[in-house]
mmCIF file of all heavy atoms in Angstrom:
data_model
loop_
_atom_site.group_PDB
_atom_site.id
_atom_site.type_symbol
_atom_site.label_atom_id
_atom_site.label_comp_id
_atom_site.label_asym_id
_atom_site.label_seq_id
_atom_site.Cartn_x
_atom_site.Cartn_y
_atom_site.Cartn_z
ATOM 1 N N GLY A 55 -18.175 17.265 0.765
ATOM 2 C CA GLY A 55 -16.861 17.167 1.373
ATOM 3 C C GLY A 55 -15.773 17.634 0.430
ATOM 4 O O GLY A 55 -16.007 17.874 -0.757
ATOM 5 N N GLY A 56 -14.571 17.764 0.977
ATOM 6 C CA GLY A 56 -13.459 18.195 0.172
ATOM 7 C C GLY A 56 -12.294 18.652 1.012
ATOM 8 O O GLY A 56 -12.249 18.432 2.223
ATOM 9 N N LEU A 57 -11.345 19.299 0.353
ATOM 10 C CA LEU A 57 -10.139 19.822 0.989
ATOM 11 C C LEU A 57 -10.273 21.325 1.167
ATOM 12 O O LEU A 57 -10.555 22.048 0.202
ATOM 13 C CB LEU A 57 -8.913 19.502 0.132
ATOM 14 C CG LEU A 57 -7.591 20.120 0.567
ATOM 15 C CD1 LEU A 57 -7.161 19.569 1.919
ATOM 16 C CD2 LEU A 57 -6.525 19.857 -0.487
ATOM 17 N N VAL A 58 -10.074 21.785 2.393
ATOM 18 C CA VAL A 58 -10.135 23.213 2.686
ATOM 19 C C VAL A 58 -8.985 23.586 3.604
ATOM 20 O O VAL A 58 -8.432 22.744 4.322
ATOM 21 C CB VAL A 58 -11.466 23.629 3.332
ATOM 22 C CG1 VAL A 58 -12.625 23.390 2.380
ATOM 23 C CG2 VAL A 58 -11.685 22.879 4.637
ATOM 24 N N GLN A 59 -8.632 24.861 3.596
ATOM 25 C CA GLN A 59 -7.612 25.373 4.495
ATOM 26 C C GLN A 59 -8.197 25.649 5.870
ATOM 27 O O GLN A 59 -9.408 25.865 6.008
ATOM 28 C CB GLN A 59 -6.998 26.647 3.927
ATOM 29 C CG GLN A 59 -6.217 26.442 2.645
ATOM 30 C CD GLN A 59 -5.536 27.707 2.180
ATOM 31 O OE1 GLN A 59 -5.932 28.816 2.540
ATOM 32 N NE2 GLN A 59 -4.491 27.556 1.377
ATOM 33 N N PRO A 60 -7.363 25.624 6.907
ATOM 34 C CA PRO A 60 -7.865 26.007 8.227
ATOM 35 C C PRO A 60 -8.545 27.363 8.178
ATOM 36 O O PRO A 60 -8.064 28.298 7.543
ATOM 37 C CB PRO A 60 -6.594 26.043 9.082
ATOM 38 C CG PRO A 60 -5.680 25.071 8.416
ATOM 39 C CD PRO A 60 -5.949 25.222 6.938
ATOM 40 N N GLY A 61 -9.671 27.452 8.869
ATOM 41 C CA GLY A 61 -10.464 28.664 8.847
ATOM 42 C C GLY A 61 -11.504 28.705 7.751
ATOM 43 O O GLY A 61 -12.366 29.600 7.759
ATOM 44 N N GLY A 62 -11.455 27.757 6.841
ATOM 45 C CA GLY A 62 -12.402 27.712 5.748
ATOM 46 C C GLY A 62 -13.723 27.106 6.147
ATOM 47 O O GLY A 62 -13.950 26.735 7.304
ATOM 48 N N SER A 63 -14.597 26.984 5.156
ATOM 49 C CA SER A 63 -15.946 26.485 5.391
ATOM 50 C C SER A 63 -16.331 25.435 4.367
ATOM 51 O O SER A 63 -15.849 25.439 3.229
ATOM 52 C CB SER A 63 -16.970 27.628 5.317
ATOM 53 O OG SER A 63 -16.740 28.595 6.318
ATOM 54 N N LEU A 64 -17.191 24.536 4.784
ATOM 55 C CA LEU A 64 -17.808 23.561 3.908
ATOM 56 C C LEU A 64 -19.246 23.364 4.343
ATOM 57 O O LEU A 64 -19.571 23.525 5.523
ATOM 58 C CB LEU A 64 -17.090 22.207 3.957
ATOM 59 C CG LEU A 64 -15.748 22.054 3.253
ATOM 60 C CD1 LEU A 64 -15.157 20.681 3.580
ATOM 61 C CD2 LEU A 64 -15.903 22.210 1.750
ATOM 62 N N ARG A 65 -20.079 22.996 3.399
ATOM 63 C CA ARG A 65 -21.458 22.661 3.702
ATOM 64 C C ARG A 65 -21.734 21.249 3.204
ATOM 65 O O ARG A 65 -21.677 20.982 2.002
ATOM 66 C CB ARG A 65 -22.430 23.631 3.044
ATOM 67 C CG ARG A 65 -23.875 23.447 3.513
ATOM 68 C CD ARG A 65 -24.832 24.199 2.628
ATOM 69 N NE ARG A 65 -26.170 24.271 3.190
ATOM 70 C CZ ARG A 65 -27.289 24.356 2.475
ATOM 71 N NH1 ARG A 65 -27.223 24.399 1.145
ATOM 72 N NH2 ARG A 65 -28.466 24.420 3.084
ATOM 73 N N LEU A 66 -22.026 20.355 4.125
ATOM 74 C CA LEU A 66 -22.352 18.985 3.789
ATOM 75 C C LEU A 66 -23.857 18.826 3.653
ATOM 76 O O LEU A 66 -24.628 19.435 4.395
ATOM 77 C CB LEU A 66 -21.841 18.020 4.861
ATOM 78 C CG LEU A 66 -20.358 18.100 5.222
ATOM 79 C CD1 LEU A 66 -20.017 17.014 6.245
ATOM 80 C CD2 LEU A 66 -19.486 17.974 3.987
ATOM 81 N N SER A 67 -24.256 17.992 2.714
ATOM 82 C CA SER A 67 -25.658 17.677 2.514
ATOM 83 C C SER A 67 -25.839 16.172 2.547
ATOM 84 O O SER A 67 -24.951 15.416 2.155
ATOM 85 C CB SER A 67 -26.164 18.214 1.169
ATOM 86 O OG SER A 67 -26.058 19.616 1.096
ATOM 87 N N CYS A 68 -26.989 15.742 2.988
ATOM 88 C CA CYS A 68 -27.318 14.325 3.022
ATOM 89 C C CYS A 68 -28.792 14.173 2.701
ATOM 90 O O CYS A 68 -29.646 14.644 3.463
ATOM 91 C CB CYS A 68 -27.002 13.731 4.395
ATOM 92 S SG CYS A 68 -27.569 12.037 4.623
ATOM 93 N N ALA A 69 -29.078 13.514 1.601
ATOM 94 C CA ALA A 69 -30.447 13.329 1.152
ATOM 95 C C ALA A 69 -30.859 11.871 1.306
ATOM 96 O O ALA A 69 -30.157 10.970 0.843
ATOM 97 C CB ALA A 69 -30.597 13.769 -0.298
ATOM 98 N N ALA A 70 -31.984 11.655 1.938
ATOM 99 C CA ALA A 70 -32.550 10.319 2.077
ATOM 100 C C ALA A 70 -33.564 10.073 0.968
ATOM 101 O O ALA A 70 -34.351 10.953 0.622
ATOM 102 C CB ALA A 70 -33.217 10.151 3.440
ATOM 103 N N SER A 71 -33.549 8.873 0.431
ATOM 104 C CA SER A 71 -34.482 8.522 -0.625
ATOM 105 C C SER A 71 -34.882 7.062 -0.489
ATOM 106 O O SER A 71 -34.256 6.297 0.236
ATOM 107 C CB SER A 71 -33.874 8.782 -2.008
ATOM 108 O OG SER A 71 -32.717 7.987 -2.214
ATOM 109 N N GLY A 72 -35.918 6.681 -1.213
ATOM 110 C CA GLY A 72 -36.397 5.317 -1.174
ATOM 111 C C GLY A 72 -37.719 5.209 -0.444
ATOM 112 O O GLY A 72 -38.541 6.118 -0.481
ATOM 113 N N SER A 73 -37.913 4.089 0.223
ATOM 114 C CA SER A 73 -39.148 3.839 0.955
ATOM 115 C C SER A 73 -39.096 4.552 2.301
ATOM 116 O O SER A 73 -38.453 4.082 3.239
ATOM 117 C CB SER A 73 -39.350 2.334 1.150
ATOM 118 O OG SER A 73 -40.555 2.070 1.838
ATOM 119 N N ILE A 74 -39.775 5.681 2.376
ATOM 120 C CA ILE A 74 -39.764 6.507 3.585
ATOM 121 C C ILE A 74 -41.190 6.902 3.931
ATOM 122 O O ILE A 74 -41.867 7.536 3.129
ATOM 123 C CB ILE A 74 -38.905 7.766 3.392
ATOM 124 C CG1 ILE A 74 -37.456 7.402 3.095
ATOM 125 C CG2 ILE A 74 -38.999 8.649 4.634
ATOM 126 C CD1 ILE A 74 -36.597 8.584 2.721
ATOM 127 N N PHE A 75 -41.610 6.540 5.120
ATOM 128 C CA PHE A 75 -42.891 7.000 5.631
ATOM 129 C C PHE A 75 -42.707 8.216 6.530
ATOM 130 O O PHE A 75 -43.444 9.192 6.411
ATOM 131 C CB PHE A 75 -43.615 5.880 6.385
ATOM 132 C CG PHE A 75 -44.925 6.315 6.972
ATOM 133 C CD1 PHE A 75 -46.036 6.491 6.171
ATOM 134 C CD2 PHE A 75 -45.053 6.553 8.334
ATOM 135 C CE1 PHE A 75 -47.254 6.894 6.697
ATOM 136 C CE2 PHE A 75 -46.262 6.949 8.882
ATOM 137 C CZ PHE A 75 -47.364 7.127 8.061
ATOM 138 N N SER A 76 -41.742 8.139 7.404
ATOM 139 C CA SER A 76 -41.450 9.267 8.273
ATOM 140 C C SER A 76 -40.006 9.191 8.730
ATOM 141 O O SER A 76 -39.403 8.120 8.759
ATOM 142 C CB SER A 76 -42.388 9.306 9.481
ATOM 143 O OG SER A 76 -42.211 8.169 10.304
ATOM 144 N N ILE A 77 -39.466 10.338 9.087
ATOM 145 C CA ILE A 77 -38.105 10.445 9.591
ATOM 146 C C ILE A 77 -38.139 11.153 10.929
ATOM 147 O O ILE A 77 -38.738 12.218 11.064
ATOM 148 C CB ILE A 77 -37.193 11.224 8.622
ATOM 149 C CG1 ILE A 77 -37.183 10.563 7.239
ATOM 150 C CG2 ILE A 77 -35.774 11.317 9.183
ATOM 151 C CD1 ILE A 77 -36.349 11.308 6.217
ATOM 152 N N ASP A 78 -37.498 10.560 11.905
ATOM 153 C CA ASP A 78 -37.384 11.204 13.207
ATOM 154 C C ASP A 78 -36.084 12.010 13.228
ATOM 155 O O ASP A 78 -35.959 13.003 12.507
ATOM 156 C CB ASP A 78 -37.444 10.165 14.329
ATOM 157 C CG ASP A 78 -37.590 10.795 15.699
ATOM 158 O OD1 ASP A 78 -37.817 12.015 15.792
ATOM 159 O OD2 ASP A 78 -37.476 10.061 16.703
ATOM 160 N N ALA A 79 -35.130 11.585 14.015
ATOM 161 C CA ALA A 79 -33.895 12.342 14.130
ATOM 162 C C ALA A 79 -32.988 12.115 12.920
ATOM 163 O O ALA A 79 -33.007 11.053 12.295
ATOM 164 C CB ALA A 79 -33.159 11.964 15.409
ATOM 165 N N MET A 80 -32.192 13.112 12.619
ATOM 166 C CA MET A 80 -31.142 13.020 11.626
ATOM 167 C C MET A 80 -29.877 13.590 12.250
ATOM 168 O O MET A 80 -29.947 14.439 13.145
ATOM 169 C CB MET A 80 -31.491 13.780 10.352
ATOM 170 C CG MET A 80 -32.817 13.382 9.730
ATOM 171 S SD MET A 80 -33.177 14.234 8.163
ATOM 172 C CE MET A 80 -32.180 13.249 7.035
ATOM 173 N N GLY A 81 -28.738 13.137 11.778
ATOM 174 C CA GLY A 81 -27.516 13.624 12.388
ATOM 175 C C GLY A 81 -26.274 13.353 11.573
ATOM 176 O O GLY A 81 -26.330 12.793 10.473
ATOM 177 N N TRP A 82 -25.167 13.792 12.136
ATOM 178 C CA TRP A 82 -23.859 13.617 11.530
ATOM 179 C C TRP A 82 -22.882 13.050 12.546
ATOM 180 O O TRP A 82 -22.824 13.525 13.693
ATOM 181 C CB TRP A 82 -23.304 14.947 11.016
ATOM 182 C CG TRP A 82 -24.056 15.508 9.854
ATOM 183 C CD1 TRP A 82 -25.099 16.372 9.881
ATOM 184 C CD2 TRP A 82 -23.793 15.240 8.469
ATOM 185 N NE1 TRP A 82 -25.517 16.666 8.608
ATOM 186 C CE2 TRP A 82 -24.732 15.988 7.721
ATOM 187 C CE3 TRP A 82 -22.865 14.452 7.793
ATOM 188 C CZ2 TRP A 82 -24.768 15.961 6.326
ATOM 189 C CZ3 TRP A 82 -22.900 14.421 6.415
ATOM 190 C CH2 TRP A 82 -23.839 15.174 5.697
ATOM 191 N N TYR A 83 -22.146 12.042 12.139
ATOM 192 C CA TYR A 83 -21.035 11.494 12.889
ATOM 193 C C TYR A 83 -19.776 11.637 12.050
ATOM 194 O O TYR A 83 -19.839 11.796 10.830
ATOM 195 C CB TYR A 83 -21.255 10.019 13.215
ATOM 196 C CG TYR A 83 -22.213 9.747 14.357
ATOM 197 C CD1 TYR A 83 -23.578 9.956 14.212
ATOM 198 C CD2 TYR A 83 -21.741 9.253 15.572
ATOM 199 C CE1 TYR A 83 -24.450 9.700 15.251
ATOM 200 C CE2 TYR A 83 -22.615 8.989 16.618
ATOM 201 C CZ TYR A 83 -23.962 9.214 16.447
ATOM 202 O OH TYR A 83 -24.826 8.945 17.487
ATOM 203 N N ARG A 84 -18.644 11.562 12.717
ATOM 204 C CA ARG A 84 -17.384 11.597 11.987
ATOM 205 C C ARG A 84 -16.398 10.615 12.612
ATOM 206 O O ARG A 84 -16.479 10.294 13.792
ATOM 207 C CB ARG A 84 -16.786 13.004 11.960
ATOM 208 C CG ARG A 84 -16.313 13.524 13.308
ATOM 209 C CD ARG A 84 -15.874 14.969 13.194
ATOM 210 N NE ARG A 84 -15.385 15.494 14.464
ATOM 211 C CZ ARG A 84 -15.068 16.767 14.675
ATOM 212 N NH1 ARG A 84 -15.180 17.656 13.683
ATOM 213 N NH2 ARG A 84 -14.631 17.154 15.856
ATOM 214 N N GLN A 85 -15.470 10.161 11.789
ATOM 215 C CA GLN A 85 -14.434 9.261 12.253
ATOM 216 C C GLN A 85 -13.114 9.637 11.601
ATOM 217 O O GLN A 85 -13.003 9.624 10.371
ATOM 218 C CB GLN A 85 -14.770 7.804 11.953
ATOM 219 C CG GLN A 85 -13.790 6.822 12.564
ATOM 220 C CD GLN A 85 -14.302 5.396 12.540
ATOM 221 O OE1 GLN A 85 -15.140 5.040 11.717
ATOM 222 N NE2 GLN A 85 -13.810 4.577 13.448
ATOM 223 N N ALA A 86 -12.148 9.971 12.429
ATOM 224 C CA ALA A 86 -10.810 10.282 11.965
ATOM 225 C C ALA A 86 -9.936 9.041 12.082
ATOM 226 O O ALA A 86 -10.217 8.144 12.885
ATOM 227 C CB ALA A 86 -10.218 11.426 12.786
ATOM 228 N N PRO A 87 -8.860 8.971 11.298
ATOM 229 C CA PRO A 87 -7.970 7.808 11.384
ATOM 230 C C PRO A 87 -7.462 7.581 12.797
ATOM 231 O O PRO A 87 -6.990 8.510 13.459
ATOM 232 C CB PRO A 87 -6.825 8.179 10.437
ATOM 233 C CG PRO A 87 -7.444 9.114 9.458
ATOM 234 C CD PRO A 87 -8.437 9.911 10.264
ATOM 235 N N GLY A 88 -7.576 6.355 13.270
ATOM 236 C CA GLY A 88 -7.101 6.007 14.591
ATOM 237 C C GLY A 88 -7.992 6.436 15.733
ATOM 238 O O GLY A 88 -7.627 6.246 16.895
ATOM 239 N N LYS A 89 -9.136 7.009 15.431
ATOM 240 C CA LYS A 89 -10.056 7.465 16.467
ATOM 241 C C LYS A 89 -11.419 6.805 16.309
ATOM 242 O O LYS A 89 -11.773 6.324 15.236
ATOM 243 C CB LYS A 89 -10.208 8.986 16.427
ATOM 244 C CG LYS A 89 -8.932 9.748 16.724
ATOM 245 C CD LYS A 89 -9.185 11.243 16.765
ATOM 246 C CE LYS A 89 -7.927 12.015 17.113
ATOM 247 N NZ LYS A 89 -8.182 13.478 17.155
ATOM 248 N N GLN A 90 -12.169 6.803 17.387
ATOM 249 C CA GLN A 90 -13.508 6.245 17.355
ATOM 250 C C GLN A 90 -14.482 7.215 16.701
ATOM 251 O O GLN A 90 -14.269 8.426 16.672
ATOM 252 C CB GLN A 90 -13.985 5.900 18.768
ATOM 253 C CG GLN A 90 -13.242 4.751 19.418
ATOM 254 C CD GLN A 90 -13.871 4.335 20.731
ATOM 255 O OE1 GLN A 90 -14.430 5.167 21.455
ATOM 256 N NE2 GLN A 90 -13.794 3.057 21.040
ATOM 257 N N ARG A 91 -15.542 6.651 16.183
ATOM 258 C CA ARG A 91 -16.597 7.460 15.606
ATOM 259 C C ARG A 91 -17.254 8.301 16.699
ATOM 260 O O ARG A 91 -17.518 7.812 17.797
ATOM 261 C CB ARG A 91 -17.622 6.546 14.953
ATOM 262 C CG ARG A 91 -18.572 7.211 13.988
ATOM 263 C CD ARG A 91 -19.443 6.148 13.337
ATOM 264 N NE ARG A 91 -19.879 6.534 12.007
ATOM 265 C CZ ARG A 91 -20.425 5.713 11.134
ATOM 266 N NH1 ARG A 91 -20.572 4.436 11.433
ATOM 267 N NH2 ARG A 91 -20.807 6.156 9.943
ATOM 268 N N GLU A 92 -17.512 9.556 16.404
ATOM 269 C CA GLU A 92 -18.103 10.438 17.384
ATOM 270 C C GLU A 92 -19.261 11.223 16.790
ATOM 271 O O GLU A 92 -19.280 11.549 15.602
ATOM 272 C CB GLU A 92 -17.061 11.408 17.952
ATOM 273 C CG GLU A 92 -16.522 12.409 16.951
ATOM 274 C CD GLU A 92 -15.636 13.468 17.581
ATOM 275 O OE1 GLU A 92 -15.614 13.584 18.825
ATOM 276 O OE2 GLU A 92 -14.959 14.191 16.825
ATOM 277 N N LEU A 93 -20.212 11.525 17.642
ATOM 278 C CA LEU A 93 -21.337 12.354 17.232
ATOM 279 C C LEU A 93 -20.873 13.788 17.038
ATOM 280 O O LEU A 93 -20.205 14.357 17.897
ATOM 281 C CB LEU A 93 -22.441 12.307 18.282
ATOM 282 C CG LEU A 93 -23.620 13.254 18.065
ATOM 283 C CD1 LEU A 93 -24.443 12.822 16.859
ATOM 284 C CD2 LEU A 93 -24.503 13.311 19.310
ATOM 285 N N VAL A 94 -21.254 14.367 15.919
ATOM 286 C CA VAL A 94 -20.972 15.767 15.639
ATOM 287 C C VAL A 94 -22.179 16.624 15.994
ATOM 288 O O VAL A 94 -22.070 17.615 16.719
ATOM 289 C CB VAL A 94 -20.583 15.980 14.169
ATOM 290 C CG1 VAL A 94 -20.355 17.466 13.881
ATOM 291 C CG2 VAL A 94 -19.341 15.168 13.824
ATOM 292 N N ALA A 95 -23.328 16.255 15.460
ATOM 293 C CA ALA A 95 -24.549 17.012 15.699
ATOM 294 C C ALA A 95 -25.742 16.178 15.293
ATOM 295 O O ALA A 95 -25.637 15.306 14.432
ATOM 296 C CB ALA A 95 -24.545 18.334 14.920
#
């Protein structure tokens, strides 16, 4: 994450670690101030 100008790009990463046997779905949600959390992808 970070600060970018409109039209710019960012690449987010999320690594899972610990006790893991299998992973089904993975995804991203976001929450803006004053708004509800929403599914991104």
Side-chain angles (χ1 to χ4, degrees):
L57 173 65
V58 297
Q59 294 185 338
S63 297
L64 285 173
R65 189 193 192 209
L66 306 183
S67 299
C68 172
S71 62
S73 181
I74 299 173
F75 178 75
S76 64
I77 303 178
D78 191 9
M80 305 183 80
W82 292 92
Y83 282 72
R84 68 186 181 187
Q85 187 167 24
K89 297 184 178 180
Q90 292 188 328
R91 196 175 209 167
E92 66 172 347
L93 173 69
V94 177

